[in-house]
Amino acid sequence: MPLYMDVHRDVDASVEDVVEAHKKDVETQEKHGVKYLNYWVDEDEGAVFCLFEGPSKEAGERVHEEAHGLTADEIFEVEQGEAN
């Protein structure tokens, strides 16, 4: 299944808020065939990054929209690299 990284910019939320939003994503993901794998927060820059597997970018966006309404600014299809 394809792997995606989404980027949320200018997020006015605490790390705790992002943790709660991620929990809601996980509760909603199965309905859209998506699996959220990890997320990162840069509270100082107001940025959040989410890594997910799914059938499409749009499926991941639907999870965010339904779960909490905080949609991504950009979504990239990515491939996992290997550390040497």
Side-chain angles (χ1 to χ4, degrees):
M1 188 160 319
L3 189 62
Y4 299 95
M5 177 73 71
D6 71 24
V7 181
H8 304 258
R9 301 187 197 291
D10 300 320
V11 176
D12 184 22
S14 68
V15 172
E16 293 80 16
D17 293 334
V18 176
V19 169
E20 289 305 311
H22 177 72
K23 287 178 184 176
K24 291 177 182 177
D25 287 332
V26 171
E27 292 170 2
T28 307
Q29 66 187 1
E30 190 174 326
K31 179 192 297 189
H32 298 283
V34 171
K35 182 176 181 183
Y36 277 85
L37 303 171
N38 213 330
Y39 64 95
W40 297 263
V41 180
D42 182 335
E43 198 169 9
D44 292 338
E45 293 292 326
V48 176
F49 306 87
C50 303
L51 182 67
F52 67 93
E53 291 178 328
S56 66
K57 294 177 182 183
E58 294 79 16
E61 192 72 350
R62 284 192 298 273
V63 172
H64 279 336
E65 191 169 303
E66 184 176 324
H68 46 67
L70 303 172
T71 56
D73 293 295
E74 296 178 87
I75 302 175
F76 301 93
E77 187 169 350
V78 296
E79 292 187 26
Q80 178 71 46
E82 293 188 30
N84 293 330

